[in-house]
Amino acid sequence: RKVQAGEIEEWLDGLDRGASARYNAVSILATFFAWMVSEGMRKDNPADKVVRPKLPTRLPRPISSSSLAKAIDAAPARMAAWLCLAAYGGLRVCEIAGLEVSDLQLDERQPRAHLTKTKGSKDRVIPLNPRVVAALERYGLAASGPVFTSLYVGGGRRRPLRAQTISAEMATYLHGMGVNATAHQLRHWFATE
C-alpha cells in the first residue's frame, strides 16, 4: 500500500510540533519520495500535496560590535584569523576549513580569496578586508596546503581542520570570553555591518 498525502498530514498533526519542525519534516519526506520516484518505486510524490506552513522571515542575529572587538583583541593568532575571516570576510566555517594557501592572494593591490569549498559548491572570489590580511599574516601561512590544519598525523603530514571542529572551537572560545554568540553570528555581523 502506498502512502498518500492525507496520511502524511495526519502523521504530522500527531507530532504536536511547531511550524518550523513541520516544514522541515515535509521537506525531508519530499526528498525521500522524489528519490522513490526517480528509482521507479513510485509514480507520484505525495509530499508535494502536503501544505507547508509559511515561516516567518527570520531576522539576523549578529554578534555585537563591542563583543566582536573584545574577542578579536584577546584571541590567539589562529582564533583571530577565524574570527576575522567570518566577521570581515563573511566566510562560513566550511569555507574557512576549506581554505588552501593557493586560494589566497595577499600581495595584490586588492587582496582576495578564491573560495572553492563553498555551500552550494559555487566558486567565488572575494576581496579581503585589511583586518583579515593582518590576521592571516599574524597567524603565519605555510608555503602550500591547507591554511588551517590539525596536529601532525602519521608521516609528519597535517590534515585540514574540519568545519565542525572550527565551529566548536569558535563557540567554546566566544563563550569562554563571556560572549553568547556562534561562528554564524559573525557572518550575520558581516552582512549587517
Side-chain angles (χ1 to χ4, degrees):
R1 165 171 106 72
K2 292 187 175 182
V3 174
Q4 300 300 316
E7 294 170 301
I8 293 172
E9 286 179 344
E10 285 178 28
W11 174 75
L12 289 166
D13 292 341
L15 289 179
D16 191 32
R17 299 277 193 249
S20 182
R22 182 180 173 110
Y23 188 95
N24 289 338
V26 175
S27 295
I28 291 166
L29 289 171
T31 301
F32 172 72
F33 286 117
W35 170 78
M36 289 186 76
V37 169
S38 73
E39 293 295 314
M41 295 181 212
R42 282 192 72 113
K43 292 186 188 295
D44 67 327
N45 184 337
D48 286 344
K49 297 174 186 159
V50 174
V51 176
R52 294 182 197 208
K54 288 197 176 224
L55 298 179
T57 302
R58 294 183 180 167
L59 297 174
R61 300 175 300 115
I63 186 173
S64 72
S65 295
S66 61
S67 293
L68 175 61
K70 173 184 163 186
I72 291 173
D73 288 346
R78 183 169 78 165
M79 182 60 66
W82 293 349
L83 296 171
C84 287
L85 282 163
Y88 295 108
L91 274 69
R92 296 175 173 90
V93 290
C94 66
E95 295 163 344
I96 294 170
L99 272 180
E100 297 276 331
V101 174
S102 61
D103 296 334
L104 300 172
Q105 296 170 345
L106 304 180
D107 297 333
E108 303 290 322
R109 194 180 100 246
Q110 173 55 65
R112 58 190 177 275
H114 179 203
L115 304 179
T116 58
K117 295 175 179 84
T118 63
K119 183 177 179 180
S121 301
K122 295 186 179 176
D123 284 15
R124 292 184 294 145
V125 176
I126 63 163
L128 292 177
N129 183 292
R131 293 179 187 193
V132 174
V133 174
L136 288 170
E137 288 173 345
R138 177 178 163 225
Y139 169 68
L141 298 174
S144 64
V147 173
F148 303 107
T149 59
S150 62
L151 299 175
Y152 283 104
V153 293
R157 295 184 54 217
R158 300 181 93 140
R159 283 191 315 224
L161 283 175
R162 294 177 38 214
Q164 296 89 336
T165 302
I166 293 172
S167 181
E169 286 188 28
M170 288 175 78
T172 299
Y173 172 76
L174 290 168
H175 293 150
M177 294 285 301
V179 176
N180 187 19
T182 63
H184 199 72
Q185 285 176 273
L186 301 174
R187 187 172 154 76
H188 285 208
W189 185 89
F190 172 78
T192 57
E193 294 294 322

